[in-house]
Amino acid sequence: MNIFVAKLNFRTTSEELQKHFEAFGEVSSAKVIMDRDTQRSKGFGFVEMPDDAAAEEAIQALNETEFDERTIVVKKANPRT
């Protein structure tokens, strides 16, 4: 399952994001989205987890919680159109 994570601290790295979600199961990838021009974080990212049950558990447990000094929003990512 692909998970959307918003309101990230601009200093949060992809590695930190991955570690945060690994508490709930295997993470196949975690990526903080960076601005092409400034190379700064855009404040959101995506986490992929192969186990849908673990992903749902992570979403329920982490949504509206504090991570890296910010209250994050965690939800299932919408597929690209």
Side-chain angles (χ1 to χ4, degrees):
M1 179 183 294
N2 199 9
I3 303 167
F4 174 71
V5 186
K7 297 187 178 180
L8 289 171
N9 188 315
F10 293 110
R11 295 185 311 265
T12 301
T13 65
S14 296
E15 293 79 18
E16 292 168 334
L17 186 60
Q18 179 167 343
K19 273 189 172 178
H20 196 57
F21 277 79
E22 283 177 341
F24 298 92
E26 181 187 347
V27 173
S28 39
S29 72
K31 183 168 177 96
V32 173
I33 305 302
M34 306 298 272
D35 184 277
R36 262 192 308 233
D37 299 327
T38 64
Q39 295 304 308
R40 288 192 50 209
S41 168
K42 287 190 170 189
F44 68 93
F46 295 92
V47 176
E48 273 194 52
M49 298 181 76
D51 181 359
D52 285 355
E56 284 291 344
E57 183 183 342
I59 291 168
Q60 295 301 317
L62 297 177
N63 188 39
E64 298 293 327
T65 61
E66 190 169 308
F67 172 57
D68 206 6
E69 301 175 358
R70 299 283 302 265
T71 300
I72 60 173
V73 173
V74 182
K75 58 185 179 180
K76 185 176 178 180
N78 294 325
R80 285 186 176 182
T81 55

